[in-house]
Structures are given as structure tokens and as C-alpha cells.
Amino acid sequence: MNNQIKKLAILGASGHGKVVADLAEQLGYEVSFYDDAYPTKTQLEHWDIVGTFNDLLACKVENVEVIVAIGNNVVRKQKCNELKQFGFDLARLIHPSATVSQYAKVAEGTVVLTGAVINAFAEIGHGCIINTSAVIEHDTKIGKYSHICPNTALAGAVTIGECCWIGIGSHVIQLISVGDYTFVGAGSVVVKNLPANVTAFGSPAVVVKSDKIVNDRS
């Protein structure tokens, strides 16, 4: 029997990082934090921050997984890609209270938080955040590095692009497509397809701004 302790390096000592650390410990990991605020900042609550991102890259250790706990989708994508280039294994963290169909797919680097539901034949891409009590219905596809915020509901066969942000409490009706890097504001109801690189909100959601690229939405 293998009694080796699972170890997880968390990049990003933030509020989201706290939630990820709590989840990781429930899953049996021993956690450590890395953040570019180090050494000015050395603690996140009771957890030690032990180095910067470059320190993490420089000290790759066998049998240590990594998760990027950064809310900014673009930065999370960049850091995940750099870690993979350096040969790190990205963790896949699913909260024990989440319901994930045996027929769903959840890629590496993704975090599925408390009470989330991912139904049959849904596909979640690399490096996503499926936040508290989000509902991902059957056949829905979430692109890489997207953030599905708390209490959102995506109906059947929805397609969400890469690096999207679906704001807290939003709803997307069945068969709708949301393009890459699009931001949907909190409490919105999406009833028509949305193109890439826009900001939309309201009920029904309408495009209010076109963005060359979505930056920090955290």
C-alpha cells in the first residue's frame, strides 16, 4: 500500500487560493503556496508562501502537482502553459460535494468547487474554474481557461469559448454559443449567441462593449 503524502504547489496566494487550498486538503494534499508577492508576503492565513513563480519553476520536485489559483483567465492560461513547458503535472481538483457525471470530462488544471454539478457528456477544458454551485448541463462544452462563476446555470449543449467569464448568477439557455474571451456580467440571461471578445450583460444579455482582449476580470 502506498502511503506517500500527496503534495500540491498552489500558484496564487489570493482569496481563490484559500478556497483551492481548503479543497486540496480535503482531498488529502499537503499544500504550499507560491506568489510573486514573496518575500514581502510570506503567509496566507496559516499557510506558508515559500517562493515566487520563478522559484517554483527552478525547484521542480518529483511527485508534486501544481494548480494555478489565479482568477484572471489570461494570466492563468499563461502560467499553466509555462508550467507544462517545464514538465509540471497540473492537478485536477474536484470537491467531494460536487456531482460530476461518469460520462463528463474534466481536463487537468481545472478546479470544480463546492456543490457544482457537471452532467452527462459535458466537457470542461484545461485550467478552468467551475465555481461554487455552478450547474453545467448535458453536452455543454467549456473552453480552456474559462471561469464559470458561483450560482451560474448553463443549459444543455451550450458552448463556452476559451478564456470566457460567465458572471455570478448568470444563466445561458440551451444551444447558445459564447465566443472566446467574452465576459458576461453578473446576473445576466444569455438567450442569443455572443461573439468573441465582447462584454455583455442584462436580461436578456446585450453586447455593451467590444474588447480586443479581456484582461483582469477578478
Side-chain angles (χ1 to χ4, degrees):
M1 182 175 179
N2 186 359
N3 292 319
Q4 185 175 22
I5 296 174
K6 298 189 295 182
K7 295 186 177 181
L8 182 71
I10 301 174
L11 179 63
S14 61
H16 178 56
K18 296 178 188 180
V19 177
V20 171
D22 177 43
L23 166 56
E25 288 183 341
Q26 290 184 62
L27 297 175
Y29 285 94
E30 179 182 282
V31 305
S32 57
F33 274 96
Y34 291 81
D35 193 284
D36 283 345
Y38 179 87
T40 302
K41 182 178 180 180
T42 59
Q43 290 285 133
L44 180 66
E45 304 297 349
H46 61 281
W47 293 291
D48 291 331
I49 302 169
V50 298
T52 65
F53 179 58
N54 286 335
D55 293 329
L56 175 59
L57 294 181
C59 68
K60 184 176 185 299
V61 179
E62 294 297 322
N63 302 315
V64 176
E65 296 176 82
V66 181
I67 198 77
V68 180
I70 295 174
N72 183 318
N73 293 337
V74 175
V75 175
R76 190 168 65 258
K77 173 183 178 179
Q78 175 190 351
K79 298 303 183 184
C80 284
N81 286 337
E82 288 185 60
L83 287 163
K84 286 189 286 186
Q85 289 170 7
F86 273 76
F88 284 88
D89 294 322
L90 297 182
R92 179 192 297 105
L93 304 180
I94 299 175
H95 196 278
S97 71
T99 300
V100 179
S101 167
Q102 62 181 321
Y103 301 114
K105 295 179 181 178
V106 178
E108 66 178 8
T110 285
V111 176
V112 180
L113 293 175
T114 309
V117 176
I118 302 175
N119 273 329
F121 301 101
E123 296 182 12
I124 314 299
H126 294 269
C128 289
I129 301 170
I130 308 301
N131 222 314
T132 307
S133 298
V135 174
I136 315 297
E137 272 298 347
H138 64 88
D139 300 296
T140 286
K141 293 179 171 55
I142 310 295
K144 295 182 288 185
Y145 312 110
S146 285
H147 185 165
I148 311 302
C149 291
N151 291 310
T152 54
L154 309 184
V158 164
T159 300
I160 305 295
E162 180 176 318
C163 284
C164 289
W165 180 286
I166 310 300
I168 188 169
S170 294
H171 297 85
V172 182
I173 70 167
Q174 66 275 9
L175 304 174
I176 290 296
S177 175
V178 176
D180 296 344
Y181 293 91
T182 281
F183 175 84
V184 175
S188 297
V189 179
V190 182
V191 299
K192 293 183 179 180
N193 293 344
L194 294 175
N197 299 300
V198 300
T199 295
F201 72 86
S203 179
V206 295
V207 174
V208 296
K209 187 170 96 172
S210 294
D211 299 308
K212 188 172 183 181
I213 188 168
V214 173
N215 292 312
D216 188 359
R217 300 297 191 179
S218 62

